[in-house]
Amino acid sequence: VRLLVRHIAAAGAPTCRYRHRYRPAGLTRADGNRMATSVSCACGNARLRFHSPAPAFTGECCCEDCRQACEWAETMGCKAKVSHLDPTLLAYYQNDVCVEAGRERLRAFRLREGGESVRIVATCCYSPMCTDHPAYLKRVVLTFPQLSVVGPPPATPPDMLMVKQEWPTSFTPLASTGRDPFKGRAFNTHSDALFLATFVFRVLSRGRTGGVGSTVQGLVESLGGVHTLGLPKGQGLVGPTKGQTLTPPPPAGAGLTPIRVAGVAVLALGVILRARALKTR
């Protein structure tokens, strides 16, 4: 409920441009073997394999936690740099994963006490490998194609721009990069409620059926639990913004209104109906 309220009450209009463009999981190659996606750390010592040939969907995220997680990885030696021009690229795969190499190098972290995201990192070079969050309903797993080696890489542009309201004002304005509600690419053209509904329904439609590996939750448990980093919420960790609180304050009018409350109720009803429909299949 807190997650629904956070997204719908937030200012701005995260987007969705969903099209069913990706190949479905379970496709096979000419040799009869099932196609899959590998995620390797930058130095190649750790590697995961997701048993689906392409992402369920992709997006660009402006949230403070994705940004801070990438900056923390950079402070620990990850070669990938956080961009002040483009939001973080995300790719979501079905929750069906196995470790092909470097299990002893993998560790699970959360940014701070109470943090909801659990991030698996390869400690050999501190490449972020994948992330779990309660909002994914144990059906999909998040990866960072710009910070690790994903093969094959996502073949289409991002489907949506997420959490636009947390993009730092000191970074390059999104409007000047073609991510404006009324200019450039078709981002930010839908309401928060429509974005969140589309995101949730897309997650619900990606059930873990016929899996041949483990779940990311099982992987985290096998790694010995989650280590808490204790990072200050929203604070920059690298470069000229180090030590600064980067997340903009909520804009005026971002609180709950009767229309937004009604949107939450309609969305919750839709989620319940969708979940029941999936259970009856």
Side-chain angles (χ1 to χ4, degrees):
V1 172
R2 286 190 293 108
L3 182 66
L4 296 177
V5 172
R6 176 186 175 190
H7 279 284
I8 293 180
T15 66
C16 51
R17 288 188 303 155
Y18 284 121
R19 297 184 183 96
H20 295 284
R21 297 172 295 188
Y22 297 115
R23 294 171 296 178
L27 293 182
T28 56
R29 297 191 298 261
D31 60 7
N33 292 322
R34 187 181 183 186
M35 297 176 67
T37 301
S38 66
V39 177
S40 302
C41 67
C43 65
N45 288 318
R47 185 171 64 256
L48 304 178
R49 180 170 294 274
F50 290 92
H51 296 280
S52 53
F57 53 97
T58 61
E60 290 182 304
C61 188
C62 305
C63 86
E64 59 186 3
D65 284 353
C66 280
R67 180 177 66 251
Q68 190 178 63
C70 296
E71 290 191 347
W72 173 78
E74 186 177 337
T75 66
M76 298 299 292
C78 180
K79 295 181 180 179
K81 305 297 181 183
V82 177
S83 171
H84 290 195
L85 175 63
D86 295 313
T88 308
L89 178 63
L90 311 178
Y92 294 83
Y93 292 88
Q94 285 184 296
N95 189 10
D96 187 5
V97 60
C98 64
V99 180
E100 290 196 328
R103 177 182 289 271
E104 71 281 359
R105 304 177 187 273
L106 300 178
R107 296 291 184 275
F109 298 95
R110 61 167 49 96
L111 297 181
R112 64 190 65 86
E113 195 67 39
E116 295 181 297
S117 293
V118 175
R119 306 169 189 276
I120 297 180
V121 175
T123 56
C124 44
C125 58
Y126 282 89
S127 297
M129 302 293 284
C130 64
T131 297
D132 182 37
H133 189 281
Y136 306 158
L137 305 176
K138 298 183 179 181
R139 293 176 177 269
V140 294
V141 182
L142 168 64
T143 65
F144 296 89
Q146 293 172 322
L147 303 178
S148 53
V149 182
V150 178
T156 58
D159 289 298
M160 56 188 173
L161 182 68
M162 299 181 283
V163 202
K164 181 177 70 72
Q165 67 276 5
E166 292 187 5
W167 185 250
T169 55
S170 59
F171 287 12
T172 301
L174 295 173
S176 67
T177 65
R179 298 177 177 90
D180 184 81
F182 308 107
K183 301 176 183 177
R185 285 180 283 176
F187 282 128
N188 303 327
T189 54
H190 300 292
S191 68
D192 290 353
L194 180 58
F195 153 72
L196 184 56
T198 309
F199 179 87
V200 171
F201 291 157
R202 179 63 69 91
V203 169
L204 286 174
S205 68
R206 299 290 171 174
R208 185 180 177 272
T209 57
V212 297
S214 174
T215 63
V216 70
Q217 293 79 25
L219 176 57
V220 169
E221 185 177 353
S222 72
L223 297 177
V226 183
H227 306 274
T228 302
L229 298 176
L231 300 178
K233 184 176 177 61
Q235 188 175 101
L237 302 179
V238 297
T241 58
K242 182 177 180 179
Q244 299 179 17
T245 299
L246 298 177
T247 304
L256 287 176
T257 65
I259 293 178
R260 286 171 176 157
V261 171
V264 172
V266 171
L267 178 59
L269 178 61
V271 170
I272 293 172
L273 293 176
R274 177 62 175 170
R276 286 183 177 178
L278 288 172
K279 286 183 179 180
T280 59
R281 289 182 179 179

